[in-house]
């Protein structure tokens, strides 16, 4: 558990910009689809909906407003899009029938009470979790896999956007049945930032794409459920649900009352048939300000007190040809920054998300050069050089941000000029 926390630290320092350039990639023919996924009954947007081109590994996920943007290669123009969301019926639509900015409604899955009864399993919740963790060599991808992923990192001061960094990375994903660590290769990065206009401090998130990759509980159980940590948790069953017509057990977990070290609390969504982990949503207990601050904050000025007020995580898995693999994760960290002797404080939110947009099996030794590899200690804002090279970015599937970062920063600059 502590290893994961140490990779999710922040730096509070004067702004330093380090440019990084990489070679552009040839633009391929593609069709761009934009839309929003909503609940068929309430019209509420559905965040984190999986969208996959059928019979391919190309995919994306909706943002917090239910919006998506997907780049369709020419060879799939006549294909089918599959939409799946936990607790909803799967939906398939011809790509050719989807218009611009369509609203696509998903219907809640209808289940019988007998089908979702907890009595369908005689296992204790804790034993079910342990068995789930032991399934990695049977249920998850055991091949060397080269994954293409889109990574986004945003920093906000209260509700105002301060910085956006984005990157396309190649994940050299090691088989789930061995202990080798994954490698990440930086293909291209860009950023838009305006720290100096917002505050005298710059917040930087250490870890970059590795922070999101390490939320893969099945590949890296030592970062949350070590053998030593499991006895410190209480596990219990919640109300079961369905995804893709499959019964899903919901297991709640939280640290025991006599444990003072900050641990996690949340929900695990486990396939009732295979015991594969399909999703996990959890948070760190930050009630102990001093201990939780020590876990996150690596560097800060002496006259500044910084502590987290919220730290939430989400990881999604997807199955292909009967094998599960990591597909998406989201991390949201909220910090309060107090200057000693000043009346007002500042609140910053750091959010990072990474989605697998394509992948392929690689039988050979994947990592051949270390030139473009990034380290787990990487600060992505220092590796991104700016919003440029639109031809390169055009062909990549991205997660649409809640708002345009450029327009947000321009708005802030106008407000500052008025004052």
């Amino acid at each position: 558990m502590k290893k994961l926390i140490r990779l999710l630290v922040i730096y509070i320092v004067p702004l330093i910009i380090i440019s990084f350039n990489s070679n552009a990639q040839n633009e391929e023919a593609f069709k761009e689809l934009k839309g929003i996924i909503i609940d068929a009954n309430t019209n509420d947007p559905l965040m984190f909906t999986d969208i996959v081109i059928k019979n391919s590994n190309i995919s994306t996920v909706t943002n917090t407003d239910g919006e998506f943007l997907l780049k369709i290669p020419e060879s799939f123009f006549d294909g089918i899009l599959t939409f799946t969301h936990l607790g909803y019926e799967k939906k398939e639509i011809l790509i050719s029938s989807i218009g611009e900015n369509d609203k696509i409604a998903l219907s809640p899955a209808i289940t019988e009470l007998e089908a979702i009864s907890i009595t369908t399993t005689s296992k204790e919740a804790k034993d079910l979790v342990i068995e789930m963790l032991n399934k990695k060599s049977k249920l998850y991808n055991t091949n060397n896999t080269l994954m293409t992923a889109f990574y986004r990192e945003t920093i906000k001061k209260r509700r105002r956007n301060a910085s956006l960094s984005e990157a396309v990375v190649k994940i050299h994903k090691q088989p789930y049945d061995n202990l080798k660590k994954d490698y990440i290769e930086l293909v291209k990065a860009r950023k838009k930032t305006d720290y100096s206009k917002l505050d005298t401090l710059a917040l930087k998130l250490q870890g970059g794409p590795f922070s999101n990759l390490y939320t893969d509980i099945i590949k890296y159980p030592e970062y949350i459920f070590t053998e030593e940590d499991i006895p410190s948790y209480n596990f219990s069953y919640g109300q079961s649900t369905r995804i893709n017509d499959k019964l899903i057990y919901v297991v709640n977990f939280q640290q025991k009352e006599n444990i003072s070290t900050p641990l996690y609390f949340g929900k695990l969504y486990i396939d009732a048939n295979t015991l594969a982990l399909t999703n996990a949503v959890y948070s760190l207990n930050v009630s102990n300000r001093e201990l939780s601050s020590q876990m996150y904050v690596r560097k800060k000025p002496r006259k500044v007190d910084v502590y987290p007020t919220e730290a939430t995580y989400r990881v999604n898995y997807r199955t292909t040809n009967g094998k599960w693999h990591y597909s998406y994760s989201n991390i949201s960290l909220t910090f309060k920054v107090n200057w000693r002797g000043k009346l007002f404080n500042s609140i910053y939110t750091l959010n990072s998300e990474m989605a697998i947009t394509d992948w392929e099996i690689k039988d050979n030794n994947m990592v051949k050069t270390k030139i473009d590899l990034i380290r787990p200690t990487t600060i992505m804002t220092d590796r991104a050089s700016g919003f440029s090279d639109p031809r390169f970015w055009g062909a990549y599937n991205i997660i649409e941000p809640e708002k345009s970062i450029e327009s947000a920063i321009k708005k802030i600059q106008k407000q500052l000029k008025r004052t």
Side-chain angles (χ1 to χ4, degrees):
M1 185 277 300
K2 292 180 180 179
K3 293 180 181 178
L4 176 59
I5 295 298
R6 287 171 184 164
L7 288 171
L8 296 176
V9 299
I10 62 169
Y11 281 72
I12 304 179
V13 295
L15 179 61
I16 301 174
I17 298 177
I18 301 176
S19 296
F20 176 81
N21 294 313
S22 60
N23 294 327
Q25 192 168 296
N26 293 329
E27 185 178 14
E28 298 178 1
F30 64 93
K31 175 182 179 180
E32 182 176 283
L33 288 182
K34 284 186 177 182
I36 181 171
I37 310 301
I38 60 173
D39 183 298
N41 296 336
T42 66
N43 289 327
D44 292 335
L46 296 178
M47 65 177 71
F48 308 132
T49 299
D50 270 324
I51 304 168
V52 182
I53 300 178
K54 193 172 183 179
N55 299 321
S56 83
N57 298 323
I58 301 172
S59 60
T60 190
V61 64
T62 58
N63 68 4
T64 53
D65 290 324
E67 300 167 343
F68 72 91
L69 184 152
L70 185 66
K71 309 295 179 76
I72 311 292
E74 187 175 17
S75 57
F76 289 98
F77 282 1
D78 296 324
I80 296 173
L81 279 188
T82 300
F83 302 85
T84 57
H85 191 96
L86 189 67
Y88 288 79
E89 300 287 352
K90 180 174 70 173
K91 192 166 191 174
E92 294 186 344
I93 303 178
L94 287 171
I95 293 173
S96 58
S97 68
I98 301 176
E100 186 175 353
N101 294 319
D102 271 3
K103 286 188 176 181
I104 299 169
L106 302 185
S107 300
I110 300 175
T111 56
E112 299 177 0
L113 291 178
E114 291 80 7
I116 62 173
S117 172
I118 293 306
T119 59
T120 55
T121 178
S122 59
K123 294 183 177 68
E124 296 289 336
K126 176 182 176 181
D127 295 333
L128 184 73
V129 171
I130 293 174
E131 188 171 352
M132 174 202 78
L133 294 172
N134 290 332
K135 290 279 189 176
K136 65 167 62 180
S137 61
K138 295 181 180 179
L139 302 178
Y140 297 83
N141 199 342
T142 55
N143 296 299
N144 291 323
T145 308
L146 184 62
M147 294 179 162
T148 301
F150 179 80
Y151 174 79
R152 168 177 280 130
E153 182 179 300
T154 61
I155 300 175
K156 293 183 178 181
K157 182 183 179 184
R158 296 193 183 274
R159 296 183 179 181
R160 298 182 296 178
N161 288 301
S163 178
L164 168 65
S165 298
E166 296 179 320
V168 172
V169 298
K170 296 284 188 181
I171 301 173
H172 298 256
K173 190 73 174 164
Q174 302 296 323
Y176 275 88
D177 58 354
N178 69 37
L179 299 178
K180 293 181 179 179
K181 300 291 185 179
D182 300 325
Y183 296 91
I184 297 181
E185 175 187 350
L186 182 61
V187 178
K188 195 76 171 181
R190 60 181 178 179
K191 73 175 178 180
K192 188 76 172 183
T193 185
D194 196 2
Y195 286 115
S196 61
K197 298 293 185 181
L198 297 178
D199 210 333
T200 56
L201 295 178
L203 274 72
K204 298 182 180 182
L205 180 65
Q206 178 179 304
F210 275 100
S211 297
N212 287 76
L213 190 58
Y214 289 162
T215 62
D216 183 351
I217 295 174
I218 301 301
K219 178 64 177 176
Y220 301 101
E222 67 271 21
Y223 292 159
I224 179 170
F225 291 131
T226 66
E227 292 184 5
E228 294 78 12
D229 286 335
I230 284 182
S232 300
Y233 286 101
N234 286 321
F235 296 91
S236 63
Y237 284 106
Q239 183 176 0
S240 300
T241 185
R242 287 188 179 274
I243 185 170
N244 295 345
D245 299 323
K246 295 180 179 179
L247 179 65
I248 303 294
Y249 293 135
V250 179
V251 176
N252 303 313
F253 64 95
Q254 62 180 8
Q255 69 184 80
K256 295 180 178 179
E257 292 183 357
N258 63 326
I259 304 298
S260 60
T261 302
L263 296 177
Y264 296 98
F265 62 93
K267 298 178 182 293
L268 304 173
Y269 297 86
I270 303 172
D271 183 280
N273 182 39
T274 63
L275 300 189
L277 180 66
T278 64
N279 306 78
V281 180
Y282 54 100
S283 302
L284 183 73
N285 177 9
V286 295
S287 57
N288 189 317
R289 291 183 180 180
E290 183 178 354
L291 289 180
S292 56
S293 177
Q294 291 174 5
M295 290 178 172
Y296 283 105
V297 181
R298 176 65 58 85
K299 182 178 180 181
K300 68 178 183 65
R302 287 186 304 163
K303 294 184 178 181
V304 175
D305 293 323
V306 183
Y307 57 88
T309 58
E310 187 177 29
T312 61
Y313 308 82
R314 180 186 185 92
V315 60
N316 294 353
Y317 294 86
R318 188 176 294 130
T319 180
T320 304
N321 298 325
K323 293 291 186 179
W324 293 83
H325 60 84
Y326 164 84
S327 66
Y328 173 80
S329 62
N330 182 291
I331 302 172
S332 182
L333 309 174
T334 301
F335 290 89
K336 184 169 286 188
V337 178
N338 290 326
W339 282 94
R340 296 172 194 169
K342 289 188 178 181
L343 181 61
F344 300 103
N345 55 49
S346 299
I347 296 176
Y348 290 90
T349 300
L350 294 81
N351 184 279
S352 65
E353 56 186 336
M354 186 163 68
I356 305 302
T357 60
D358 201 358
W359 61 273
E360 59 180 321
I361 299 296
K362 288 288 187 181
D363 295 328
N364 59 334
N365 186 9
M366 294 183 293
V367 180
K368 296 181 179 180
T369 176
K370 294 184 178 181
I371 296 177
D372 295 323
L373 295 183
I374 61 176
R375 300 173 61 86
T377 54
T378 295
I379 297 175
M380 187 53 60
T381 55
D382 289 347
R383 298 293 299 270
S385 59
F387 275 62
S388 59
D389 200 355
R391 292 189 61 189
F392 173 88
W393 289 96
Y396 278 95
N397 287 310
I398 65 172
I399 308 160
E400 283 289 271
E402 293 95 337
K403 295 180 182 179
S404 166
I405 193 72
E406 294 96 331
S407 62
I409 290 178
K410 287 180 181 178
K411 183 178 180 181
I412 293 168
Q413 289 173 334
K414 290 179 181 178
Q415 291 173 340
L416 289 168
K417 288 180 180 179
R418 290 171 186 168
T419 58

